[in-house]
Amino acid sequence: MKRLSFFLLAGLLSVGASYAQIDALTEKAFQSEKEKSDKAITDEKANVKPKTWMDRAKTYENIATQAIKLDSNAATVAYDAYKKVVELDKDKKSGGPGKLAKEAEEAMKGQTMFQAFMNSGIYKYQAKNFKDAARLMSMAGEINPKDTTAALYAGIFTQNTDKPSDAKAQFERYIANGGKDVSVYTTLVSLYYQDKEIEKALATIDKGIATLPNTKDLSTQKTSILVTSGKVDEAIADLKTALGKEPNNLNNLLTIASLYDNRKDKMADELAKLSGSARKGPSAAKQLEEEKVVLKESQTELTRLSARAKKEPKNADVKNQIARVTQMINDSKTKVANLEKDVQTQAAEAQAAGNQAGKIAELTKSVADDRAAAREYYTKALAVDPNNFDANFNLGAAYFNEAILIRKQLEAMDMKEYQAKGKEIEGQVCGKFKQALPYFEKAKSVKDTDTDLNENLTNLQNILKQFEEKKVPCIESK
């Protein structure tokens, strides 16, 4: 999870330096006042007087703001002392707050008390007491709820506790108070995302983009979240909207192309599984029909041999033939039973899948559409930067992979199918491989150390050489 503690480095060091600058005389004075206050509240008569607690509040408030080393909990002690003043000091006539109580109430909301909690929080953070640091900084934020620094620090400190997601409220307050650091937005988005609050994450991104329209980090984060959440269409639409404002944004062009490319690959895998399943059905049914014919012929032959055996009871050859045919019938019955189960299984699979033929047709079209769209945006990227390695490599890979897919059609053909249309399809395979070549060559001219590229290019050159030797005409198409 992304953390924001690096933001504090300069600030914390400067605060730490101020601690070291307190001279010995001043520190001794604070220590004396502290001891005097600690003793006063143990006195039965003094500890019921509002002034005793007011003096204590101010003493510890000064320690928190000027000599925090003496007591890292000074801010809390001061605040509690002010609360004790409010509790003890009542107006004798009205019963409401007395003069000191009113002063204490103001002090509890004042800038000095705010700074006391800020100092204490930072000091605890430096001591790696993150839980107390977060609590103290949150208290500073409650005293001054419009302050962005306290909200930011409280969020950062909370990230280091055992409940890092609690930082969300602090970062939300930072943003609500007008904070405009993009890293706070991206961190808050990450916190929502890890807690599976996808809509809040997306809403935060949109808020950040509206506040900081020139940031790229949030747009990248949004695309990533949309894609990982299965909202690829929304990611593409969002990027296309951005392209409307900045049509030559190379990163957006490449991202759109890759989204189409990746979705196409997933659908192609699903299509291959469905197509394979669809081919199994007719094959099993056909084998069952053929085996039933074999069984019937064997049974007819057994009937003929049995009749002959009655006429020739001593003919050993007839008896042997009957034994062989009987075994053939038993084997054939076993095959028929197994094939009937296969047909039933495949029928159930087809039924569960719904209209398989319709699904295959739909996926085939979607794969073709996404393949075309990916090429379109890779081509647009090359129009912006003809030397872009990724666009050249991926466009070459697109043609290369399409050639492999078409070649699988050849591998599935029997001799009759190949004689009818094999040569034409072979020419299409060659054409796709040939279309891949200039993109791989261009990519190599940009970066000739890429292992995948060099391997693909070598394979491609060898394949095209084989087509040339076989005198296969390459048919290029879109």
Side-chain angles (χ1 to χ4, degrees):
M1 179 186 70
K2 183 176 181 181
R3 298 183 187 276
L4 289 179
S5 52
F6 60 86
F7 272 120
L8 293 180
L9 184 58
L12 295 187
L13 289 177
S14 65
V15 173
S18 70
Y19 301 152
Q21 291 166 6
I22 300 172
D23 59 54
L25 188 61
T26 304
E27 186 172 341
K28 187 176 180 180
F30 279 127
Q31 180 65 39
S32 176
E33 289 296 317
K34 178 180 182 299
E35 291 172 358
K36 180 180 177 183
S37 175
D38 292 344
K39 184 178 180 180
I41 63 169
T42 63
D43 183 273
E44 291 184 4
K45 293 181 178 180
N47 71 6
V48 294
K49 296 178 179 180
K51 188 176 184 308
T52 300
W53 292 97
M54 177 62 84
D55 290 342
R56 181 175 181 77
K58 290 181 177 180
T59 294
Y60 273 88
E61 191 175 56
N62 288 332
I63 290 171
T65 55
Q66 300 176 56
I68 190 67
K69 279 183 168 183
L70 290 180
D71 191 334
S72 61
N73 295 311
T76 302
V77 174
Y79 195 81
D80 289 343
Y82 278 130
K83 287 168 64 177
K84 191 70 174 177
V85 173
V86 174
E87 177 189 330
L88 293 175
D89 186 37
K90 303 294 182 183
D91 185 84
K92 293 180 180 179
K93 292 182 179 179
S94 66
K99 182 180 178 181
L100 287 180
K102 290 178 181 179
E103 185 181 336
E105 287 175 342
E106 286 300 313
M108 290 166 68
K109 298 182 291 184
Q111 181 63 26
T112 306
M113 195 72 255
F114 166 77
Q115 192 60 53
F117 275 108
M118 288 279 288
N119 278 18
S120 295
I122 291 170
Y123 192 81
K124 292 284 189 180
Y125 180 81
Q126 289 179 318
K128 300 190 184 306
N129 185 341
F130 302 124
K131 189 172 182 180
D132 280 353
R135 176 181 59 79
L136 291 164
M137 199 57 69
S138 296
M139 192 63 197
E142 288 181 23
I143 292 171
N144 188 354
K146 295 297 182 181
D147 183 76
T148 55
T149 304
L152 174 62
Y153 284 15
I156 294 168
F157 295 171
T158 305
Q159 281 187 282
N160 291 280
T161 66
D162 57 350
K163 292 184 179 179
S165 63
D166 287 353
K168 289 182 288 190
Q170 299 296 340
F171 289 138
E172 283 284 13
R173 188 158 61 85
Y174 169 84
I175 291 170
N177 288 347
K180 293 183 178 181
D181 196 298
V182 65
S183 294
V184 176
Y185 279 98
T186 56
T187 301
L188 180 57
V189 170
S190 297
L191 289 169
Y192 279 131
Y193 182 72
Q194 73 179 17
D195 287 344
K196 296 181 172 51
E197 296 177 278
I198 305 302
E199 295 308 318
K200 285 187 177 181
L202 293 172
T204 301
I205 290 175
D206 289 338
K207 190 187 299 181
I209 291 173
T211 304
L212 304 162
N214 295 322
T215 181
K216 293 182 179 179
D217 291 348
L218 287 168
S219 297
T220 301
Q221 199 175 25
K222 183 175 185 180
T223 299
S224 176
I225 289 175
L226 286 172
V227 171
T228 56
S229 302
K231 301 179 179 184
V232 178
D233 285 341
E234 289 183 39
I236 291 172
D238 199 63
L239 287 166
K240 285 183 177 180
T241 299
L243 276 179
K245 301 173 184 176
E246 195 178 355
N248 291 331
N249 186 304
L250 185 61
N251 184 63
N252 286 346
L253 289 168
L254 289 172
T255 303
I256 292 175
S258 67
L259 289 177
Y260 277 123
D261 224 352
N262 293 336
R263 188 169 68 179
K264 175 261 299 176
D265 288 342
K266 289 180 182 178
M267 290 191 296
D269 289 342
E270 186 180 352
L271 179 60
K273 291 177 184 177
L274 278 175
S275 298
S277 175
R279 284 194 293 271
K280 289 177 186 175
S283 176
K286 185 177 180 182
Q287 288 180 53
L288 179 59
E289 282 181 34
E290 291 172 351
E291 196 58 44
K292 283 182 177 179
V293 170
V294 171
L295 176 60
K296 187 174 182 181
E297 289 176 350
S298 298
Q299 289 170 333
T300 300
E301 178 64 9
L302 180 62
T303 300
R304 185 186 71 77
L305 288 171
S306 296
R308 185 179 171 187
K310 287 181 181 180
K311 294 178 182 179
E312 305 172 26
K314 295 183 179 181
N315 191 325
D317 184 53
V318 171
K319 289 181 179 179
N320 289 334
Q321 289 184 53
I322 287 174
R324 285 197 299 272
V325 171
T326 300
Q327 184 60 49
M328 288 173 62
I329 288 171
N330 290 335
D331 291 345
S332 191
K333 284 180 178 179
T334 300
K335 288 182 180 179
V336 166
N338 289 334
L339 286 167
E340 284 176 342
K341 289 179 181 177
D342 289 344
V343 170
Q344 288 175 356
T345 299
Q346 290 169 7
E349 289 175 351
Q351 186 176 3
N355 186 353
Q356 200 171 46
K359 182 66 173 175
I360 288 173
E362 180 185 335
L363 274 174
T364 300
K365 182 179 184 306
S366 295
V367 167
D369 289 345
D370 277 9
R371 179 182 291 117
R375 283 185 193 159
E376 176 189 351
Y377 282 93
Y378 282 134
T379 303
K380 286 182 177 180
L382 288 177
V384 176
D385 179 10
N387 294 319
N388 184 270
F389 176 84
D390 290 332
N392 278 293
F393 178 83
N394 289 328
L395 201 47
Y399 283 113
F400 188 95
N401 292 334
E402 191 175 353
I404 292 174
L405 286 174
I406 299 173
R407 190 166 63 180
K408 287 182 179 180
Q409 296 179 35
L410 287 172
E411 296 170 356
M413 287 181 178
D414 55 28
M415 184 56 69
K416 185 177 179 181
E417 289 173 322
Y418 183 81
Q419 288 175 342
K421 53 184 179 180
K423 291 289 183 183
E424 180 185 351
I425 292 179
E426 213 170 356
Q428 292 173 7
V429 173
C430 178
K432 292 299 178 186
F433 278 130
K434 190 174 180 180
Q435 284 174 285
L437 183 61
Y439 296 107
F440 280 156
E441 289 177 334
K442 182 65 175 178
K444 185 175 176 63
S445 73
V446 176
K447 184 168 65 175
D448 64 358
T449 57
D450 189 277
T451 304
D452 289 340
L453 168 63
N454 289 327
E455 185 178 332
N456 285 341
L457 183 55
T458 300
N459 290 339
L460 178 57
Q461 290 167 337
N462 290 334
I463 290 168
L464 288 173
K465 186 177 180 181
Q466 292 171 14
F467 277 115
E468 185 179 351
E469 290 171 351
K470 291 170 63 177
K471 294 183 169 47
V472 174
C474 296
I475 304 170
E476 295 185 30
S477 60
K478 292 182 179 180

